Amino acid sequence: MAIIAGVDEVGRGSLMGPVYAAAVILDKKIDKKLLKDSKSLSKNDREKIAKYIKQNSIWSLGKASVKEIEKLNILNASLLAMKRAILKLKRKPKLVLIDGNKTPKIKNYKLKSIIKGDKKIPSVAAASIIAKVSRDKLIKNLSKKFNKYYWETNCGYGTKKHLSAIKKYGITIHHRKTFAPISKLK
């Protein structure tokens, strides 16, 4: 049977922090009914399922930093994070299925983009879960030091509380300074 990897990213729309991507090659015995788009699962379910996936799959993470996002733009930084995740896999897949409509450029890999892949393809859903849980853990840790921004509840997205905190307390080193509305506040 051909080895297929699923890939998804998380954090593109956030106003802060790195963008994460995960690549997952599922074990054929994994319960695929558990694998859904990470956004449709509760935090607790995501964490339990991420642990289950990690124990029963080959997986890897890639990320692109805030500096890389600002230098490359969010699309290219997301593709870079995906490329890093794919290249870190312990086995080379015959086919890589990627959520969205773009693929990173990687020599000697067969890559296929699938719009809404996280809703259609179990390995892509698994990647979305691992990427989300991993990034959320980082953001939760950052929020301990930067607690005035409520990152532990908004994951860095542009909620009212987060935006008013930015106006009141300023921009941190973790904010993406090229993103609106932050770019207008500098």
Side-chain angles (χ1 to χ4, degrees):
M1 194 164 128
I3 299 171
I4 297 173
V7 177
D8 200 3
E9 56 67 35
V10 66
R12 276 181 68 161
S14 179
L15 300 179
M16 55 75 62
V19 62
Y20 272 53
V24 177
I25 299 169
L26 294 174
D27 185 283
K28 60 184 167 214
K29 293 176 274 197
I30 202 160
D31 183 358
K32 291 184 174 94
K33 291 189 296 283
L34 296 173
L35 307 176
K36 298 174 173 65
D37 171 21
S38 64
K39 294 178 287 296
S40 69
L41 298 167
S42 71
K43 181 180 179 288
N44 280 349
D45 285 347
R46 261 195 314 270
E47 288 174 358
K48 285 181 202 166
I49 295 168
K51 188 175 179 181
Y52 171 72
I53 295 164
K54 288 176 178 181
Q55 292 169 345
N56 294 285
S57 306
I58 297 168
W59 64 278
S60 63
L61 280 174
K63 65 182 175 180
S65 69
V66 171
K67 282 184 181 176
E68 289 171 319
I69 292 167
E70 291 176 343
K71 181 180 176 188
L72 302 172
N73 78 38
I74 189 60
L75 171 61
N76 289 317
S78 297
L79 294 171
L80 177 61
M82 289 178 188
K83 179 178 181 177
R84 288 173 173 162
I86 294 163
L87 293 175
K88 279 187 189 174
L89 284 169
K90 289 188 171 97
R91 292 186 69 189
K92 183 179 176 183
K94 291 275 186 211
L95 175 63
V96 182
L97 302 174
I98 298 172
D99 183 51
N101 63 358
K102 301 242 186 284
T103 64
K105 305 225 181 312
I106 309 175
K107 286 183 181 176
N108 303 316
Y109 276 78
K110 185 176 179 187
L111 307 164
K112 183 178 180 187
S113 62
I114 299 174
I115 294 170
K116 298 192 189 284
D118 52 358
K119 291 173 176 46
K120 300 173 185 173
I121 312 290
S123 60
V124 177
S128 82
I129 293 166
I130 289 185
K132 176 118 178 80
V133 168
S134 300
R135 186 177 188 279
D136 285 357
K137 184 177 178 184
L138 170 82
I139 301 306
K140 186 176 179 186
N141 286 335
L142 289 175
S143 74
K144 290 173 186 170
K145 186 175 179 185
F146 297 90
N147 60 353
K148 295 173 184 170
Y149 296 87
Y150 307 99
W151 294 338
E152 70 281 2
T153 58
N154 63 42
C155 291
Y157 288 84
T159 64
K160 276 186 179 180
K161 273 185 167 182
H162 187 191
L163 293 172
S164 64
I166 292 168
K167 287 175 186 156
K168 187 172 182 180
Y169 303 110
I171 300 164
T172 72
I173 59 167
H174 301 290
H175 281 104
R176 300 172 184 174
K177 290 148 199 78
T178 56
F179 276 41
I182 294 169
S183 59
K184 293 174 176 70
L185 299 174
K186 290 195 287 183

